[in-house]
Amino acid sequence: MAKFGRNKPCWCGSGKKYKKCHLIRESEPSYSADRMLAKFRSKATHKACMHPKVGLNVCSKKIVDAHTIQKSGPLKNISDEENHVYSFMLDSTGHQKLQRIGWQKASTFKGFCSKHDKEMFSCIEDKPFIGSKEQCFIAGYRAYAMEYFKKVKVLKGMPFMRDNIDRGMTSEEQREMQSTVSTMKSGFLKGVDDFKTTLDIFTEYFASSNYDGIKSASFYFTGDLSVVVSGCFAPDFSIDGQRLQSLSPGVKFVENIAVNTLLTEDGFVIVFTWPSSFIACKKFIDSLLEVDMSHIASRLLEIIFSYIENSYFSRSWFDSLTDVQANRLKAMALNSVQYGDAVRFSGDTYTDWILNRVEYS
């Protein structure tokens, strides 16, 4: 690296002078992976009520650990004798592994005050799902709010990552690492913008109690509920592998679709929700509806494991899979970036789920 003025702004973009930033970075002791991850998590903290009327001073003072999946419903259903559920989560090396977590803590985020967490989601927390427009709307809003929240949270930890992840590296390695960090930051900033735009659409409809501009597709199942989910993903390919939208850098806006598991009176439902203006989302659902009904459950499971981190399952179900099935789902979960390639569906059967009907509105 060419000589760099000590008092010039550092080349990494931190805004600090070079002498206060990367001048002696190569000689600084590096952090272990465990310490780096622990430090990052301590910096990547955020709490705020994501209610649409949050700016009107109607929140309670306490921000709670809000569940994104019904605690007393789907999560309780898949918990073991000691009230734990399972998921693939990031370890200290940045890879996902099978982890055990208490069902009271699973799927939580500090995204709503106590008042609004209770009031806003009562229609899906305290009542069976009947497919009302309000229930589909509220379920979708919570998933979009969680994804927005998570990206804001990560961005708060990015300065620490930029300032420490390349400690002890050579100058060339520092440049490469900082380029990677910069790319990551740009991606999260883009995600924040996209989800904020989507939440603004929901907020507009919420203000008028008019849910007609939000579309949904509800897949009603009976069987042993073994996998539950709440989250969003950007459908860049249809089920049959046709390109639906580009996620390349420079694309103005990326559509995301919400998906949630909810209990019904006689089973459970997987609900997709999206604004009616999202064409790629509609085409994705249309392609899913073309799948033979007997194969939809497996398609949904492979989509969930490929795209959505905030998903949980029962250990007894996972242990009942064949080695081939378990390794396939694990590989899908371990794949850090599914985007850019269509999911390669296996056609295998993972559950005893029976699709009874689909409601598309």
Side-chain angles (χ1 to χ4, degrees):
M1 183 187 299
K3 291 191 65 175
F4 207 83
R6 289 171 54 87
N7 292 308
K8 287 185 177 181
C10 188
W11 55 265
C12 72
S14 66
K16 301 176 184 178
K17 291 182 179 180
Y18 178 57
K19 65 182 181 182
K20 297 287 186 179
C21 194
H22 270 83
L23 175 62
I24 60 170
R25 186 67 58 87
E26 187 170 344
S27 62
E28 292 178 323
S30 60
Y31 286 157
S32 67
D34 285 336
R35 186 184 179 195
M36 185 70 194
L37 183 60
K39 285 278 191 180
F40 174 78
R41 286 175 173 169
S42 71
K43 300 295 182 181
T45 58
H46 182 54
K47 61 179 181 178
C49 184
M50 301 290 295
H51 191 273
K53 294 184 178 180
V54 67
L56 302 180
N57 298 317
V58 293
C59 291
S60 60
K61 293 182 179 180
K62 184 179 180 181
I63 300 295
V64 297
D65 289 324
H67 279 269
T68 57
I69 303 172
Q70 292 169 304
K71 180 179 70 172
S72 59
L75 282 175
K76 187 175 182 179
N77 274 28
I78 65 168
S79 62
D80 60 20
E81 295 82 0
E82 297 178 342
N83 293 321
H84 286 83
V85 296
Y86 292 80
S87 183
F88 288 106
M89 296 182 179
L90 289 176
D91 63 16
S92 60
T93 65
H95 294 91
Q96 289 184 321
K97 66 179 182 180
L98 185 65
Q99 293 194 7
R100 183 172 181 257
I101 183 171
W103 72 286
Q104 299 262 20
K105 295 183 178 180
S107 85
T108 59
F109 74 121
K110 294 186 178 295
F112 289 94
C113 70
S114 58
K115 174 184 176 182
H116 287 134
D117 185 49
K118 176 63 177 176
E119 289 181 358
M120 187 171 189
F121 304 111
S122 177
C123 69
I124 56 175
E125 288 289 339
D126 303 328
K127 303 174 185 177
F129 182 83
I130 59 173
S132 70
K133 288 184 178 180
E134 180 187 17
Q135 287 180 316
C136 294
F137 177 95
I138 291 300
Y141 183 89
R142 182 155 64 176
Y144 282 116
M146 177 197 65
E147 297 289 359
Y148 172 82
F149 180 95
K150 285 166 54 179
K151 287 170 175 55
V152 170
K153 184 177 176 179
V154 170
L155 283 172
K156 288 194 170 185
M158 293 301 288
F160 170 80
M161 183 180 291
R162 180 199 60 217
D163 293 344
N164 293 279
I165 197 169
D166 57 355
R167 291 163 63 109
M169 293 184 179
T170 66
S171 296
E172 182 178 352
E173 290 171 337
Q174 291 171 26
R175 291 276 183 176
E176 292 177 357
M177 183 58 70
Q178 290 298 326
S179 176
T180 299
V181 171
S182 179
T183 300
M184 289 175 58
K185 181 179 178 180
S186 296
F188 280 105
L189 285 170
K190 178 67 168 59
V192 165
D193 287 344
D194 290 342
F195 278 102
K196 179 62 167 62
T197 298
T198 305
L199 287 173
D200 286 345
I201 295 173
F202 272 75
T203 297
E204 181 179 346
Y205 287 114
F206 183 85
S208 61
S209 298
N210 178 2
Y211 310 126
D212 290 341
I214 303 300
K215 298 300 181 182
S216 64
S218 302
F219 296 78
Y220 289 81
F221 291 94
T222 53
D224 182 21
L225 179 57
S226 46
V227 181
V228 299
V229 64
S230 178
C232 301
F233 66 97
D236 49 346
F237 290 92
S238 64
I239 298 298
D240 59 356
Q242 300 300 308
R243 171 74 74 172
L244 298 178
Q245 62 177 331
S246 172
L247 278 57
S248 301
V251 173
K252 186 176 181 181
F253 180 78
V254 173
E255 297 179 13
N256 281 270
I257 191 168
V259 56
N260 291 274
T261 304
L262 298 163
L263 291 188
T264 63
E265 290 185 341
D266 59 354
F268 58 96
V269 61
I270 296 180
V271 185
F272 290 88
T273 316
W274 69 97
S276 59
S277 59
F278 286 14
I279 304 304
C281 294
K282 179 184 183 301
K283 289 181 177 180
F284 173 81
I285 294 298
D286 288 343
S287 72
L288 182 58
L289 293 175
E290 293 177 0
V291 175
D292 185 280
M293 288 184 65
S294 63
H295 295 156
I296 283 183
S298 293
R299 294 287 193 276
L300 289 176
L301 282 177
E302 291 180 339
I303 289 168
I304 289 169
F305 277 89
S306 294
Y307 286 111
I308 302 178
E309 178 183 337
N310 191 46
S311 58
Y312 301 87
F313 48 87
S314 69
R315 184 60 187 263
S316 60
W317 165 76
F318 192 75
D319 289 344
S320 73
L321 299 175
T322 67
D323 289 343
V324 171
Q325 291 172 329
N327 288 333
R328 182 186 300 120
L329 293 180
K330 183 178 180 180
M332 287 176 165
L334 289 171
N335 183 11
S336 59
V337 181
Q338 174 62 48
Y339 299 115
D341 291 307
V343 175
R344 297 180 180 179
F345 298 107
S346 67
D348 210 343
T349 299
Y350 301 95
T351 69
D352 64 354
W353 296 0
I354 297 175
L355 178 64
N356 297 307
R357 70 184 190 278
V358 179
E359 294 181 358
Y360 193 178
S361 63

